[in-house]
Amino acid sequence: MRTDPGTRGFLIAAAVLLAAGPFLPKWLSYIATISLGYALVVAGVVLLMRAGLVSFGQGLYFCLGGYAVGAAGKYWNLGDAFVLLAAAVAVSVAVAALLGLLLARYREIFFAMFTMAFSMILYGLLSKSQALGSTDGFNVSHATFLGYAPVALQGWLYAAAVVLSMAVAIALQRYLRSGMGYAGDAIRENEIRVEYLGISVYRVVYLKYLVAAGLGGLGGGLAALASGHVGPDMAYWTTSGEFVFVALLGGTQHIAAAFAASFLFELIKTYAFELSPYTWQMMLGVVLLAIILFLPSGLWSLVARGREALR
Amino acid sequence: MFTLTAILVDGTIYASWLFIVAAGLTLVYGVMRILNLAHGSLYAVGAYTAASAITWYLSAGHAPAGSYLVLLAAALAAGTVTGLLIERGVLRLMYGRDEVVMILVTYAVLLILEDVIKLIWGVESYSAYQPYQLLGRLQFGPMTFANYDLALIAVAAAVAIAMWWTLNRTRRGKLLLVVIHDREMSAALGIDVTRVFVVTFLIGGVLGAAAGALTAPVVSVVPGIGVEVIVLAFAVVVIGGLGSVQGALVGSLIVGIARAAAVHLLPEVELFVIYGVMCLVLAVRPAGLFARPAARKI
Amino acid sequence: MNAVLETRALSKSFGAVVAAAEIDLVVGEREVIGVIGANGAGKTTFINMVTGYLRPSGGSIRFRGRDITGLPPRQVVRAGICRSFQVSQLFRELTVLDNMLIALGMLREGALSWLAPLHTRAREDEARKVLERYTIERYADSRVATLPQGVRKLLDIAMATVSEPPLLLLDEPTSGVAAEEKFALMDTVMAPVRASGAACLFVEHDMEIVERYSARVIAFYDGRILADGPTAETLTDPEVRKYVIGAELHRDREAGCSK
């Protein structure tokens, strides 16, 4: 089978990231791992955005994924990273399967507000739940890899994150070019036409919501493993707002944009927050306004423009 | 029986506060089609301004009774200045964009103002409890209520009546209703939409700031209060139907009573009962209680 | 004559407003029918009901003997009734080719792939062939939003017909198209319809087009069928002349003045 350029790009990226792993300073590989997790959540947001839906509540699945990983380790002594992540995805998709039945009926601001409300419900539940550490959350136990408990856990997590997220990215970018992927663009542009082409818009939106939730859970699970801690803030609406922000920053044209923007965001967040904690959100706000005004297709449109110019 | 009375009174107090916040939010949405996340910032700026103004006023040795006037003046000033800055500085450049994009725009404004507040007032907490204590408490059987809280109900009622009067009984108000119900018609009637937008946003802003200012004597004003408030106000407005003032009134009563009931009967659910109610209402009436979904013509 | 479509006492009211009342209509196989009537006479309401966009307040719709009353559009489409729109319903930000590929993928193939690409050599060839048949092949790579009205109308109709439906409903195919292009457009549209043997109902305001392309004409007035019969007969019916064509002439004159 021939590999298309997108797949090849992600395979190369995976190889480079894995090869560079042992040489990265600890802080950088930590940021990279976290941002790979974030990027998966953002990819879910992008998927929905391409169908014209802005989810202001993807923190719900980010948080569910994180807590699933944490709780499975805490209560059932499950330690294997892949089992934990599978649990994170399963829990998220299961919850989405239920909520999606309702949410798939809504569009525009209603979809945004409704998704936000659901994540705030989880925030409220977790904040009041003594067993799960209420507002403080709890620490996540160390993961193992197929029975092996590495001393240099972070390096292993980094490698696992790279492999997993690049595999997901390859699948996603194929997905975006498939019939299902184009159905998203079609729904964004004209739902009536889609119905008149014999396709249930409700069903397509529902399925996309499930995929986005699965990505959110996986990302949350990865972030929980990497940071070693989960808390209800993961479901607070401002966390979801950050995912939307990163999605807009990168743009929705290419899955790679979600990864680049997430990394950039994590990097800036870490440093800007240290250097000037009082103006960090202001910077975010200004950047967001600038993107909406001057670069509505996100940073990736610069990359696309550059390619055109080189041609 | 106590519990029931307590739920009703606490619920109404909470609803009054919610209504003052939500009324401005829903008015701005109705007229401008902007679901303004920065309404939370207006609330926060109102709270901070009132807290500092009252502290300054009392430390200068003026009569404590005057602090209520100071509070209102602070709300008016904070709402007008911040509202003008937001509308003229940012929103003006974005009119005509998609409603979802406008949410993101106001989200950006919220982020910016959060830090502006920290730069002006720092991160320590402010309080101005004197106006709250000054009014004393009311003994009602075995229960006591703060008179300030009860007065809040009167303020909310006054706001509701004033809004109803303006919208239904004055020429300008009726013009606003025209804009809310039929935008094309309003343009055809030659209504100066820019002016209507500025005025509406200022009214909304002052209401948001007033809600914050009225809360300042009750709580300690800390960073992040605006962020918390805005999602609550959203829930209220969505329950009532976006853009509907009656809706905001009914929505805040429902939410207020529901929350008070949760606090007294089942404290574990306090934090999310509001969103639970919202989901329930939307599941039954997708556009909220007082709004109708528009069918698309093909 | 076998009936493709049969409606019985089909009605629709919005509150007190009656948009369609007691519409009885039989469409035979291969029939090409013109539908005339002033704005608000119930023509689009009729098409919306038949294709499931509006749920009828009363009455029934049978398609090839099967009751399809109350089915949603996607199931009506799958049953074999396709329609075009008065205001073309397209994916504006996508290219003409992408619009066509989506239509092929959804309507003709019926299922959406998850990982297999939509753009394949075979599908693209097919899409270009359809575009060629509708004379818009040269716009294949343009974004829909940039195209003139006439091209959009053709694309709209082309997308509706990729499944070669037994019944095609065209809602004002020539509206928004310059007068001198109307006949060419109708020629382009009707050729594949005739070739496939589909029955076709088209709403039209231009009597010359109605006369040229349809053997039978149905006149709507005030939510009812005023007249239904061979073209010459309907067009000379005194009531039709008074209530429908008179209004149309008036409309033409108005349009003429505004030019």
Side-chain angles (χ1 to χ4, degrees):
Chain A
M1 203 178 87
R2 280 188 316 128
T3 50
D4 58 293
T7 307
R8 214 179 307 138
F10 283 118
L11 285 174
I12 293 169
V16 171
L17 287 173
L18 283 178
F23 308 104
L24 293 181
K26 225 171 167 189
W27 61 269
L28 189 58
S29 84
Y30 174 74
I31 288 181
T33 313
I34 290 278
S35 65
L36 286 171
Y38 261 61
L40 291 173
V41 191
V42 172
V45 174
V46 165
L47 214 71
L48 291 170
M49 259 186 197
R50 288 184 65 127
L53 299 161
V54 176
S55 167
F56 248 101
Q58 225 48 22
L60 172 66
Y61 300 108
F62 183 64
C63 184
L64 272 179
Y67 270 71
V69 162
K74 195 173 169 183
Y75 293 106
W76 297 307
N77 270 321
L78 289 175
D80 189 83
F82 296 103
V83 173
L84 290 175
L85 291 174
V89 174
V91 168
S92 301
V93 173
V95 170
L98 199 67
L99 301 185
L101 292 175
L102 196 63
L103 282 168
R105 282 164 50 191
Y106 292 89
R107 301 291 179 269
E108 299 181 355
I109 45 177
F110 286 98
F111 185 83
M113 301 318 304
F114 223 161
T115 50
M116 181 198 266
F118 279 128
S119 77
M120 290 302 289
I121 289 179
L122 182 68
Y123 171 80
L125 273 171
L126 293 176
S127 301
K128 288 268 171 177
S129 153
Q130 297 292 339
L132 292 171
S134 24
T135 48
D136 294 332
F138 60 92
N139 286 333
V140 176
S141 41
H142 285 212
T144 57
F145 294 86
L146 307 172
Y148 171 66
V151 187
L153 178 66
Q154 206 189 299
W156 278 76
L157 276 175
Y158 168 81
V162 167
V163 171
L164 267 179
S165 58
M166 288 301 116
V168 170
I170 289 171
L172 279 180
Q173 70 101 28
R174 290 190 63 119
Y175 167 88
L176 287 183
R177 295 177 203 311
S178 73
M180 202 63 187
Y182 270 96
D185 299 273
I187 287 171
R188 183 190 67 230
E189 294 292 325
N190 197 330
E191 290 192 19
I192 290 175
R193 172 56 91 176
V194 174
E195 284 280 325
Y196 273 102
L197 289 174
I199 295 292
S200 163
V201 171
Y202 178 86
R203 190 168 161 268
V204 174
V205 169
Y206 180 74
L207 292 173
K208 282 181 183 284
Y209 186 71
L210 292 194
V211 175
L215 290 169
L218 185 59
L222 267 179
L225 287 178
S227 69
H229 185 265
V230 292
D233 283 352
M234 292 170 88
Y236 201 62
W237 73 270
T238 47
T239 310
S240 304
E242 277 181 11
F243 295 132
V244 175
F245 173 87
V246 177
L248 285 170
L249 181 70
T252 59
Q253 289 147 308
H254 201 288
I255 278 300
F259 286 87
S262 294
F263 183 67
L264 195 66
F265 180 77
E266 268 317 299
L267 206 60
I268 297 174
K269 185 159 113 177
T270 313
Y271 283 95
F273 195 73
E274 261 171 38
L275 291 177
S276 96
Y278 292 178
T279 53
W280 133 253
Q281 291 192 84
M282 194 187 299
M283 280 167 41
L284 283 190
V286 172
V287 170
L288 184 52
L289 283 182
I291 289 175
I292 292 171
L293 269 179
F294 305 115
L295 210 59
S297 307
L299 291 176
W300 192 262
S301 60
L302 293 179
V303 177
R305 245 183 263 169
R307 273 193 196 161
E308 287 288 306
L310 284 177
R311 214 170 265 170
Chain B
M1 194 56 214
F2 294 154
T3 327
L4 187 65
T5 319
I7 287 174
L8 284 179
V9 178
D10 284 353
T12 315
I13 292 168
Y14 193 60
S16 307
W17 170 76
L18 277 174
F19 174 70
I20 303 173
V21 190
L25 190 66
T26 205
L27 183 72
V28 167
Y29 179 81
V31 176
M32 303 168 78
R33 289 290 179 270
I34 295 173
L35 196 50
N36 182 20
L37 276 167
H39 201 67
S41 313
L42 286 155
Y43 175 91
V45 173
Y48 273 105
T49 312
S52 346
I54 291 170
T55 310
W56 166 82
Y57 171 83
L58 290 175
S59 64
H62 299 293
S67 60
Y68 300 101
L69 276 179
V70 174
L71 188 151
L72 287 182
L76 201 63
T80 315
V81 172
T82 319
L84 265 182
L85 277 175
I86 298 175
E87 202 280 336
R88 289 288 94 187
V90 181
L91 298 185
R92 187 169 57 92
L93 308 171
M94 308 280 186
Y95 287 143
R97 290 185 193 238
D98 193 70
E99 285 179 26
V100 176
V101 176
M102 292 312 284
I103 294 191
L104 298 171
V105 169
T106 58
Y107 176 55
V109 174
L110 173 95
L111 289 175
I112 294 170
L113 288 179
E114 276 297 295
D115 276 354
V116 170
I117 290 171
K118 281 187 204 148
L119 288 176
I120 297 178
W121 281 282
V123 286
E124 63 271 33
S125 72
Y126 282 70
S127 53
Y129 51 84
Q130 293 87 348
Y132 185 77
Q133 288 189 328
L134 210 58
L135 285 185
R137 300 182 81 81
L138 178 75
Q139 192 72 32
F140 184 79
M143 291 171 282
T144 60
F145 297 105
N147 284 328
Y148 185 90
D149 285 339
L150 299 176
L152 197 62
I153 301 180
V155 174
V159 169
I161 292 169
M163 281 183 91
W164 177 84
W165 178 267
T166 317
L167 286 176
N168 293 292
R169 288 284 179 275
T170 65
R171 209 185 89 82
R172 278 161 205 275
K174 283 181 188 166
L175 285 183
L176 269 193
L177 277 188
V178 172
V179 178
I180 291 175
H181 289 302
D182 194 337
R183 305 170 74 68
E184 276 114 61
M185 177 66 105
S186 62
L189 286 175
I191 295 174
D192 180 353
V193 175
T194 310
R195 230 185 94 212
V196 169
F197 276 19
V198 176
V199 172
T200 307
F201 198 79
L202 286 185
I203 296 173
V206 169
L207 280 171
L214 287 166
T215 316
V218 187
V219 299
S220 39
V221 183
V222 290
I225 52 167
V227 179
E228 267 169 49
V229 158
I230 188 63
V231 281
L232 289 179
F234 268 158
V236 168
V237 168
V238 169
I239 288 172
L242 282 164
S244 158
V245 177
Q246 305 102 289
L249 188 62
V250 175
S252 33
L253 277 170
I254 294 176
V255 168
I257 304 280
R259 199 194 90 134
V263 168
H264 285 279
L265 303 174
L266 195 65
E268 295 80 27
V269 303
E270 180 209 332
L271 279 173
F272 66 88
V273 68
I274 294 167
Y275 307 107
V277 171
M278 169 178 154
C279 294
L280 216 65
V281 169
L282 282 192
V284 182
R285 286 192 62 100
L289 295 174
F290 285 83
R292 278 175 183 289
R296 193 167 138 200
K297 225 180 142 192
I298 54 171
Chain C
M1 190 176 70
N2 277 335
V4 178
L5 178 77
E6 195 174 353
T7 69
R8 287 237 178 278
L10 200 58
S11 10
K12 178 74 195 177
S13 42
F14 301 96
V17 182
V18 177
E22 307 285 320
I23 296 181
D24 294 312
L25 186 69
V26 179
V27 178
E29 264 175 48
R30 306 187 80 103
E31 256 196 307
V32 175
I33 304 174
V35 176
I36 60 174
N39 287 331
K43 308 175 305 280
T44 300
T45 304
F46 175 74
I47 292 182
N48 281 343
M49 280 194 288
V50 170
T51 58
Y53 189 70
L54 288 177
R55 182 178 280 274
S57 312
S60 68
I61 308 161
R62 297 185 80 79
F63 176 67
R64 293 170 136 187
R66 175 185 162 200
D67 188 5
I68 58 161
T69 321
L71 291 185
R74 59 176 181 278
Q75 287 176 19
V76 174
V77 165
R78 291 259 173 256
I81 306 178
C82 290
R83 74 172 285 187
S84 75
F85 300 85
Q86 196 176 336
V87 177
S88 44
Q89 302 289 328
L90 302 167
F91 310 125
R92 288 172 52 89
E93 293 304 317
L94 307 184
T95 64
V96 169
L97 184 65
D98 280 350
N99 269 267
M100 206 61 212
L101 286 171
I102 291 173
L104 283 171
M106 289 182 172
L107 192 51
R108 194 181 282 179
E109 292 161 34
L112 298 172
S113 61
W114 281 81
L115 291 174
L118 182 70
H119 281 258
T120 59
R121 175 62 63 78
R123 215 181 266 123
E124 253 181 56
D125 288 347
E126 182 58 36
R128 287 186 190 277
K129 219 171 5 175
V130 178
L131 293 177
E132 211 167 310
R133 198 180 308 145
Y134 285 88
T135 68
I136 47 176
E137 211 267 338
R138 67 199 151 109
Y139 299 103
D141 298 315
S142 314
R143 247 174 1 115
V144 166
T146 65
L147 295 176
Q149 205 44 254
V151 180
R152 289 193 212 181
K153 288 299 257 201
L154 280 169
L155 179 59
D156 189 79
I157 296 166
M159 286 170 76
T161 53
V162 290
S163 58
E164 306 202 333
L167 175 62
L168 184 61
L169 308 174
L170 305 175
D171 195 357
E172 302 202 19
T174 67
S175 76
V177 177
E180 60 273 19
E181 291 169 19
K182 285 187 177 181
F183 285 102
L185 184 138
M186 283 304 283
D187 283 340
T188 309
V189 171
M190 295 317 286
V193 170
R194 291 211 181 93
S196 72
C200 173
L201 213 103
F202 68 95
V203 175
E204 184 53 63
H205 286 290
D206 189 323
M207 295 306 150
E208 278 183 61
I209 288 179
V210 174
E211 273 183 304
R212 178 172 322 174
Y213 293 94
S214 55
R216 175 180 160 197
V217 172
I218 299 170
F220 273 75
Y221 177 71
D222 208 13
R224 289 164 198 284
I225 291 182
L226 189 65
D228 178 357
T231 304
E233 227 168 84
T234 310
L235 292 186
T236 50
D237 182 290
E239 285 208 301
V240 171
R241 294 206 73 87
K242 186 171 167 199
Y243 292 113
V244 182
I245 301 179
E248 292 302 332
L249 288 177
H250 185 64
R251 186 182 125 110
D252 282 351
R253 216 170 294 134
E254 263 181 9
C257 288
S258 67
K259 264 174 202 162

